[in-house]
């Protein structure tokens, strides 16, 4: 299969790492892998003095962990929702009976940042939860503008960068983000199963809540000082992560992002050629979300029959193609041609 | 490395599955893998009409999930602790401010079941949390006797079978166990990263608590009806799991367990030969825990240098060797010989 869903196509050398004999995690060698992965990831995300909590869990596990450890009933919570992942922040807060203000953005549109500032000035939240890229629509939000508002009104900024990290420029320190979360199978392009909470050094003296045993920040941070997780981690994924991070550091963030961007722009030129509307006002480089013109009801299954994974979009006629992982102009052209052939059936 | 820690040595055909192109989880094909894995696992554990929740998480994640979803402050909770995993049940209950009675068993000893019954008769608990095999000491508890007490006093029985499943005989229905938990890297002998909560059909009408978003039983069960997990699962591990379960079903539980048992008995004969004391009163087939006579302080690292992973034991001079995964008498003899050589240094 050619995969245009996360994590995309992976280099055989990285894939094969998952088949190596499984290392024992309670060794100095494994601790060294964890410690070195932590520092590389911190450098890549622009937070060299921060800390990272590694979870064997999906990205939603990391979102849950942030709310359970960092958000209290006493905090005034402000949530941006531009789709199902923004709604997930809200659902998690509701689940724990944490009242929040939901600021809804219409499908695939950008935020009206002046209106957002008025709302923030009115509500005076203490914690701001948002996505950098709302993966369900393809819309990228402007973190510089969000960050400026949060700084002005002294709001703690928490950003889900699950699908924007290593696809769109991001520097935690410059933006003054307190917490970012991401996961293994997006920009890091390895198998799913690991997620990460990146804590800025500004939080080093914060006392976290204790509301989730497995996800507890304090217990995880204590163990990570010696390069260990408190419970058995997905060791094979850690080995893949370590190799990927070494390659990413060698390549450099700017080159990685510009490569993803080129693919995204190329595929969008094909969308234009075939007459598929890309609704995102300022799309992320991570995916292209687009409306096909015909046969949307059979497209997903027919594409699998023809050897392509693409993502259904949740909105009728809407599909998403990831630009992460191995792909080139030729493979994107073939993908678009195949979608078009199904439209013509 | 020769691995005598979990998951042990794995057949190359199973290992290589983790390196296959990564499947997209939102497909009928992936749902079929999840559904078929669920039924095979239910059959292997003797609970054909139960349900399984699959978590991308370690076994502790599944323990956390059980306490967060099934145990309330209003329940009288009774915990068996024969070591660090029994203590973990207690720690999780303490973490959530759930008062419990801790019934302590001395290191590597069996339970005095008559005394246990007196305590249960006195405390009249509603929920009983225990291990089948206390992995930190090697001691196997008698689930027939525990189950008889729970049935007599109408206590709901929850058992961590993380390291006994497919190592020691276990039939959930016969024993009247309400919930079992296990994980991918023990008897199932695949990479770590998945854990499982197995719910007996007696719980089909129970309303679970909502105290952990990622681990929420209700949300997970709703999605599993169509063979899906609510959040991105560790798909590569699911592929390994499916193949492993097919092989286990074809082989049969009795054959699997008798193979593990033969290895355990053989290694214990070597322990006797070298004068290493095995303290467990009724040891599980899963591991052999033993005291070496000399050089315990350098043994773990020296064994790694010589190409063997064994488990340090937490008690001075005490080590553990797993009997899961590929191993034969020759490899066990070489292992014992190597340990002895280090004793003689």
């Amino acid at each position: 299969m050619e995969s245009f869903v996360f994590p995309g196509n992976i280099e055989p050398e990285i894939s094969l790492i998952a088949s190596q004999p499984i290392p024992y995690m309670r060794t100095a060698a494994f601790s060294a892998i964890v410690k070195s992965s932590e520092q590389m990831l911190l450098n890549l995300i622009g937070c060299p003095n921060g800390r990272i909590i590694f979870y064997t869990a999906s990205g939603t596990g990391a979102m849950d962990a942030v709310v359970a450890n960092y958000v209290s009933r006493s905090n005034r919570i402000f949530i941006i929702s531009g789709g199902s992942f923004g709604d997930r922040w809200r659902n998690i807060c509701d689940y724990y009976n944490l009242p929040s203000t939901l600021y809804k953005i219409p499908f695939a549109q950008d935020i009206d940042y002046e209106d957002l500032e008025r709302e923030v000035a009115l509500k005076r939240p203490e914690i701001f939860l948002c996505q950098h890229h709302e993966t369900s629509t393809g819309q990228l939000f402007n973190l510089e503008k969000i960050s400026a508002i949060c700084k002005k009104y002294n709001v703690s900024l928490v950003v889900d960068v699950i699908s924007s990290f290593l696809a769109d420029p991001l520097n935690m320190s410059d933006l003054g983000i307190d917490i970012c979360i991401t996961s293994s199978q997006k920009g890091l392009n390895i198998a799913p199963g690991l997620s990460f909470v990146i804590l800025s050094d500004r939080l080093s003296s914060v006392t976290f809540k204790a509301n989730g045993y497995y996800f507890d920040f304090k217990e995880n941070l204590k163990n990570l000082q010696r390069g260990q997780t408190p419970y058995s981690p997905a060791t094979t994924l850690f080995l893949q992560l370590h190799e990927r991070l070494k390659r990413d550091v060698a390549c450099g963030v700017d080159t990685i992002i510009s490569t993803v961007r080129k693919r995204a722009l190329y595929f969008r030129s094909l969308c234009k050629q075939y007459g598929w509307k890309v609704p995102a006002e300022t799309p992320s480089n991570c995916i292209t979300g687009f409306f096909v013109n015909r046969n949307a009801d059979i497209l997903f299954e027919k594409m699998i029959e023809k050897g392509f994974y693409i993502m259904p979009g949740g909105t009728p006629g809407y599909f998403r193609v990831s630009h992460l992982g191995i792909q080139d102009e030729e493979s994107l052209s073939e993908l678009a041609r195949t979608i078009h052939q199904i439209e013509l059936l």
Side-chain angles (χ1 to χ4, degrees), chain A residues 40-268:
Chain A
M40 286 193 284
L41 200 40
L42 285 170
N43 292 343
L44 287 169
I45 208 163
C47 187
N49 300 312
R51 291 168 296 172
I52 294 191
I53 301 178
F54 296 87
Y55 291 119
T56 295
S58 84
T60 299
M63 294 175 84
D64 184 7
V66 166
V67 176
N69 284 276
Y70 189 61
V71 182
S72 293
R73 269 192 75 77
S74 58
N75 296 135
R76 290 181 299 277
I77 307 158
F78 195 96
I79 298 170
I80 297 285
S81 174
S84 54
F85 291 95
D87 286 343
R88 187 161 297 169
W89 277 130
R90 167 63 163 237
N91 292 341
I92 299 174
C93 289
D94 284 354
Y95 186 92
Y96 293 115
N97 295 312
L98 303 167
S100 60
T101 298
L102 191 69
Y103 189 84
K104 273 277 194 191
I105 313 295
F107 178 77
Q109 287 186 22
D110 200 359
I111 295 165
D112 175 340
Y113 296 95
E114 286 179 17
D115 185 67
L116 175 66
E117 180 171 350
R118 280 192 295 273
E119 274 298 295
V120 168
L122 190 70
K123 302 284 185 185
R124 298 308 296 258
E126 290 167 277
I127 292 181
F128 195 104
L129 303 171
C130 66
Q131 272 69 38
H132 186 193
H133 165 224
E134 172 54 60
T135 323
S136 66
T137 70
Q139 172 64 32
L140 187 74
F141 297 126
N142 189 320
L143 275 185
E144 283 73 19
K145 292 183 180 173
I146 290 173
S147 158
I149 296 169
C150 286
K151 281 178 183 165
K152 185 169 171 186
Y153 295 91
N154 196 27
V155 192
S156 177
L157 178 56
V158 175
V159 189
D160 161 2
V161 301
I162 288 176
S163 61
S164 64
F165 176 53
L166 297 176
D168 300 293
L170 171 75
N171 184 297
M172 265 185 81
S173 300
D174 290 354
L175 292 164
I177 301 173
D178 281 329
I179 303 181
C180 277
I181 57 170
T182 191
S183 66
S184 54
Q185 82 276 25
K186 302 293 192 325
L188 290 165
N189 184 227
I190 59 168
L194 291 181
S195 62
F196 318 101
V197 171
I198 302 111
L199 300 171
S200 126
D201 44 320
R202 280 190 311 283
L203 300 186
S204 57
S205 60
V206 166
T207 304
F208 296 109
K209 280 197 309 164
N211 190 32
Y213 186 87
Y214 181 72
F215 290 123
D216 190 77
F217 277 8
K218 197 175 150 197
E219 184 65 25
N220 276 275
L221 287 169
K222 193 177 82 186
N223 281 271
L224 283 164
Q225 281 176 357
R226 54 186 179 101
Q228 290 282 314
T229 56
Y231 319 115
S232 304
T235 39
T236 53
L237 305 185
F238 266 91
L239 296 188
Q240 283 193 321
L241 176 69
H242 193 237
E243 178 60 26
R244 170 64 73 208
L245 288 168
K246 283 195 288 184
R247 290 177 181 219
D248 282 352
V249 166
C251 185
V253 174
D254 293 349
T255 305
I256 296 166
I257 290 175
S258 77
T259 305
V260 178
R261 185 163 183 271
K262 268 183 211 151
R263 297 170 190 158
L265 294 178
Y266 180 72
F267 186 74
R268 284 162 205 168

Side-chain angles (χ1 to χ4, degrees), chain A residues 284-313:
Chain A
S284 163
N285 299 324
C286 171
I287 65 164
T288 298
F290 57 101
F291 286 99
V292 295
N293 295 310
R294 287 196 62 230
N295 288 334
D297 53 329
I298 58 168
L299 187 68
F300 177 68
E301 287 297 338
K302 284 278 176 207
M303 287 300 284
I304 290 176
E305 282 170 26
K306 289 179 182 289
F308 294 94
Y309 285 132
I310 61 170
M311 287 175 276

